[in-house]
Amino acid sequence: MIEARHLTKTFRDKKRGEIHATEAVSFQVVPGQIYGLLGANGAGKTTTLRLLATLLQPTAGSATVAGFDVVRDAQHVRAHVGFLAASTALYGRLTARETIAYFGKLNGMAAEDIQHRTQRLADELDMHEFLDRRCDKFSTGMKQKTSIARTLIHDPVVMIFDEPTVGLDVMAARTIVRFVRDCRARGKTVIYSTHVMSEVEKLCDVIGIIHGGRLLAEGTLEQLRDRFGEQEMEEIFVKVAGEEG
Amino acid sequence: MNWKNIITIYLKELRDMLRDRRTLISMIVIPTLVMPGLVLGIGFVSYKIVNQARSTVPAVMVLGGEDSPKARAALAANQRIKIIPTTADWKQRISDKKVRAAVEIPSGFDAAIERGAPTAIKIYNYEGEMRSGFAVGEVRRFFTQYRDKVIAARLAERSLPVTLIRPFDVNSENVAPPEKVGGNVIGGLIPYFFLLLSFTGAMYPAMDLTAGEKERGTMEAILSSPIARIDLVLGKFFMVLTASLSTVLFSLVSMGLTFVIGGAMLARSGAAQRAALPSLDPFGLLAVVGMVLPMAVLFSAALLTISLFAKSFKEAQSYVSPLIIVIIMPAVVGLLPGVELNARLALVPILNVSLVSKELVSGVWHWNYLALIFGSSCVYAAIALALAVRMFNREDVIFRT
């Protein structure tokens, strides 16, 4: 479960002064649910997810992930989270198996457990053909599968996806979408950020529209359609962001 | 701090590094091949050039002295110079390196010697040109011997002993052991190379493991794992330190081989006796490596800190490359004659190691300074490491855009 309470993050920039990346963002994600964080570039999606993954510390507000406080129990939070972003890459000089094992070890797993789990993930993701090849020679699809396996090696209860399909071709993006659905089916708590309207329509149980660092609207797709009188997600988003603008 | 995590990170970085051609080149190939190649190559080429110059009889012109046949005949009989016909453009020919020197015999030189009147020989040369220098040396040696003969003849005429004008000789003899002579000759260069190599050996991995990771996008993944930042820093730090010390170790081994091979080559060529080669105190040499150790820690931690600040590998290079000057400057000051180790200089990083190392390879052990330098270097290294850990905890550095 994820619970964000008035999460606020302010950066200080020499030229631009104080930048409020997120302002009092509050939401809740329960197990077996995909929460879609929808927003344009610079809306505060990545900052929110980095706060939840404890990569950043909140300026104000608080959050708990899998029952652990993101500030006080940061290491425990990270032990229960799988973080996948389009911007995160693989170590080119390691093989897929070595990459997965590395993250398994960092998550405190025993060598035997890593071996079993790698085998299972390779079966599920159809990775056997390239498991012992170096990542710098991989296609986008192979890289995505390896990234997914790396994220899942310790079987986290919470999954955080930060625009995971950005820059991917249709086939690679479909692999990701299928994988996100699998996570929900296994009862994991999932938060998924994107600026692609169709993805939230297809994937997300609850949608939060973030703009200018603030969460402006939240609800299921049906609830948002009813509230804003629009069928298309894009129209709803424009209405929400436009009202604010 | 979790040593299991630190070792996990270290081993991953080690594997990664050993598969990276660029790191292997800077860590193994350069210190192992380039250094001896440079030393032996330059030594061999300069030995050949000097030898060739020495074996060639220099061409010398004689100006004047037509009325002094004795002096001219004696000069012409000298096998070590070749007297060639004098031309009007003799100055130009010296400048063009066609003639190595010209010697001017004044009018009435033989007669002046007969009378015992004062007179002088003048030698014209190309200042700073090696072969011209050899020619001047030969001409000077000839006229010095010629003068001694004249003096001896005059004294014999008057039945006076030679000791009248030469009551005593002045002789000098080296009593310093060969390693001390060696320490003075090349002792300063050894720590200079070690310091420079420990820095350059750490440079590439430090940039790759910080700015390189940020640029490639692998940093975020590692930061989202449950390891503590201090474990991450220490794992990476030990890797950079390994690269730095490996570079020093490879250079130490190759330097030793260079001396053995170089010595054998010189001995075989008969140009120098083994004893004439500078030798170094082997324990002193090991102690120099011991003194470079905290410096390598300091360099590794400092390079990690600085490189982490950069957004890309290229940016890190622009921060780190100028720092080589910071390493070279104090190391070069340590090489200057007259700069001696004292309590104040013992606290100046790099310079202190450079100065004490010069003494160590000469077999001189200043225990109090050694303790002070090692202690202060450890303190500087600890500060740099603490700073690196602090930098890894700074969001504005890790996620600098």
Side-chain angles (χ1 to χ4, degrees):
Chain A
M1 177 151 166
I2 298 171
E3 198 171 359
R5 293 174 295 270
H6 306 288
L7 264 188
T8 302
K9 183 66 184 176
T10 307
F11 294 108
R12 278 172 189 83
D13 186 88
K14 275 182 190 169
K15 287 177 191 163
R16 294 185 290 170
E18 281 199 343
I19 301 159
H20 303 286
T22 61
E23 279 185 271
V25 171
S26 301
F27 59 86
Q28 202 183 59
V29 192
V30 296
Q33 186 185 60
I34 300 173
Y35 187 96
L37 205 54
L38 181 68
N41 291 337
K45 303 187 294 292
T46 297
T47 302
T48 305
L49 299 190
R50 281 179 176 172
L51 288 168
L52 294 175
T54 77
L55 299 176
L56 297 175
Q57 286 213 338
T59 312
S62 63
T64 52
V65 175
F68 299 101
D69 187 273
V70 292
V71 177
R72 288 193 303 273
D73 303 312
Q75 264 178 271
H76 282 115
V77 169
R78 291 200 295 272
H80 291 82
V81 161
F83 184 85
L84 185 69
S87 58
T88 51
L90 299 167
Y91 295 104
R93 294 186 286 265
L94 296 191
T95 65
R97 191 191 297 278
E98 287 165 351
T99 305
I100 297 164
Y102 179 48
F103 282 89
K105 280 181 197 162
L106 293 180
N107 279 285
M109 292 171 73
E112 205 176 313
D113 294 339
I114 292 172
Q115 206 181 338
H116 287 145
R117 185 101 180 114
T118 304
Q119 190 65 31
R120 213 174 122 188
L121 287 166
D123 289 339
E124 284 175 20
L125 293 160
D126 192 19
M127 290 176 66
H128 288 287
E129 196 197 324
F130 58 88
L131 202 54
D132 293 304
R133 274 162 50 189
R134 276 168 58 158
C135 296
D136 54 2
K137 303 273 188 280
F138 283 2
S139 67
T140 314
M142 290 170 180
K143 280 181 185 163
Q144 276 313 119
K145 286 179 178 179
T146 309
S147 288
I148 291 168
R150 161 190 76 71
T151 315
L152 279 181
I153 184 71
H154 59 300
D155 199 16
V157 291
V158 174
M159 287 300 301
I160 299 176
F161 296 95
D162 185 16
E163 303 200 79
T165 56
V166 166
L168 297 185
D169 59 41
V170 179
M171 298 311 284
R174 279 173 74 94
T175 308
I176 295 284
V177 170
R178 196 173 62 233
F179 164 62
V180 175
R181 285 203 179 107
D182 281 352
C183 287
R184 174 173 57 191
R186 290 174 194 184
K188 295 186 191 299
T189 307
V190 180
I191 183 162
Y192 185 99
S193 88
T194 184
H195 64 265
V196 182
M197 310 294 159
S198 58
E199 274 183 4
V200 286
E201 284 175 338
K202 278 192 291 186
L203 261 180
C204 303
D205 303 307
V206 180
I207 302 159
I209 298 175
I210 190 166
H211 190 73
R214 288 189 293 159
L215 193 69
L216 301 178
E218 189 187 63
T220 62
L221 184 58
E222 289 310 313
Q223 285 169 339
L224 290 173
R225 280 174 177 160
D226 289 347
R227 186 172 153 195
F228 294 99
E230 297 286 351
Q231 282 301 301
E232 297 294 319
M233 194 61 233
E234 193 174 318
E235 297 306 321
I236 296 170
F237 178 79
V238 170
K239 223 168 191 175
V240 173
E243 274 174 12
E244 181 62 16
Chain B
M1 205 160 71
N2 181 330
W3 281 101
K4 204 178 151 196
N5 284 340
I6 294 170
I7 292 166
T8 300
I9 289 166
Y10 173 77
L11 291 177
K12 178 259 159 192
E13 301 296 4
L14 183 67
R15 175 182 278 164
D16 205 348
M17 191 190 75
L18 291 174
R19 288 177 185 173
D20 183 22
R21 210 167 357 126
R22 285 182 294 182
T23 310
L24 292 180
I25 288 170
S26 76
M27 197 176 82
I28 301 172
V29 179
I30 289 178
T32 312
L33 298 179
V34 174
M35 290 291 293
L38 218 64
V39 174
L40 288 178
I42 290 174
F44 183 73
V45 170
S46 54
Y47 168 74
K48 278 270 173 199
I49 290 171
V50 171
N51 223 17
Q52 199 184 11
R54 280 197 189 281
S55 61
T56 310
V57 178
V60 175
M61 283 185 179
V62 179
L63 311 173
E66 288 83 2
D67 56 355
S68 302
K70 271 171 81 178
R72 283 194 70 127
L75 192 60
N78 190 340
Q79 300 289 308
R80 302 177 77 157
I81 53 172
K82 184 184 169 193
I83 303 296
I84 59 164
T86 307
T87 56
D89 62 342
W90 59 272
K91 268 190 184 173
Q92 187 58 45
R93 288 170 74 86
I94 291 174
S95 294
D96 293 344
K97 299 180 185 174
K98 285 174 182 153
V99 174
R100 299 302 172 185
V103 54
E104 188 180 85
I105 300 174
S107 175
F109 180 74
D110 279 358
I113 288 174
E114 290 289 327
R115 287 199 315 274
T119 184
I121 292 288
K122 197 167 184 184
I123 305 167
Y124 297 93
N125 68 317
Y126 186 143
E127 188 70 45
E129 205 274 311
M130 185 178 64
R131 286 164 195 258
S132 183
F134 288 159
V136 170
E138 291 300 340
V139 173
R140 194 177 284 278
R141 187 182 298 121
F142 166 77
F143 277 105
T144 305
Q145 285 170 355
Y146 193 73
R147 185 172 58 193
D148 289 347
K149 275 184 195 164
V150 171
I151 292 167
R154 282 178 186 175
L155 289 170
E157 262 175 34
R158 291 165 181 80
S159 304
L160 292 170
V162 179
T163 50
L164 183 74
I165 57 145
R166 201 175 170 131
F168 59 87
D169 284 337
V170 179
N171 298 322
S172 65
E173 189 184 328
N174 172 44
V175 292
E179 64 268 21
K180 293 202 177 184
V181 179
N184 256 350
V185 177
I186 56 164
L189 285 172
I190 304 274
Y192 171 77
F193 279 130
F194 282 176
L195 285 168
L196 196 62
L197 285 168
S198 74
F199 185 82
T200 52
M203 258 173 75
Y204 179 78
M207 291 189 287
D208 191 57
L209 264 52
T210 50
E213 275 223 24
K214 275 163 96 173
E215 190 176 15
R216 289 190 296 270
T218 47
M219 188 68 99
E220 205 172 10
I222 192 82
L223 291 175
S224 62
S225 74
I227 55 152
R229 296 276 165 97
I230 188 165
D231 299 344
L232 178 65
V233 180
L234 289 177
K236 284 178 180 287
F237 160 75
F238 283 124
M239 184 61 253
V240 177
L241 185 63
T242 302
S244 170
L245 293 177
S246 302
T247 311
V248 173
L249 195 72
F250 282 117
S251 72
L252 184 70
V253 171
S254 71
M255 213 175 266
L257 288 174
T258 307
F259 268 93
V260 171
I261 296 166
M265 277 168 70
L266 276 175
R268 203 176 52 202
S269 69
Q273 298 297 314
R274 283 288 291 140
L277 280 172
S279 75
L280 299 167
D281 179 4
F283 291 108
L285 207 55
L286 283 176
V288 172
V289 177
M291 295 308 285
V292 170
L293 189 73
M295 280 291 113
V297 174
L298 172 66
F299 293 157
S300 303
L303 284 168
L304 265 183
T305 309
I306 294 162
S307 306
L308 183 67
F309 191 74
K311 284 178 285 188
S312 65
F313 193 87
K314 206 172 170 185
E315 189 184 337
Q317 271 181 316
S318 67
Y319 294 153
V320 166
S321 301
L323 287 180
I324 293 181
I325 302 293
V326 179
I327 308 302
I328 290 174
M329 286 280 276
V332 168
V333 171
L335 289 176
L336 295 176
V339 182
E340 298 287 335
L341 188 61
N342 60 41
R344 252 194 312 176
L345 291 182
L347 295 173
V348 180
I350 305 167
L351 176 62
N352 54 8
V353 174
S354 183
L355 287 172
V356 83
S357 300
K358 206 160 69 174
E359 303 282 332
L360 280 171
V361 289
S362 308
V364 181
W365 296 68
H366 296 294
W367 288 106
N368 50 343
Y369 285 141
L370 282 169
L372 188 60
I373 293 167
F374 194 81
S376 64
S377 298
C378 286
V379 170
Y380 299 141
I383 291 170
L385 197 54
L387 203 64
V389 175
R390 208 173 147 175
M391 284 293 260
F392 266 83
N393 277 303
R394 276 180 56 176
E395 292 170 357
D396 58 333
V397 173
I398 294 284
F399 295 105
R400 190 168 156 252
T401 51

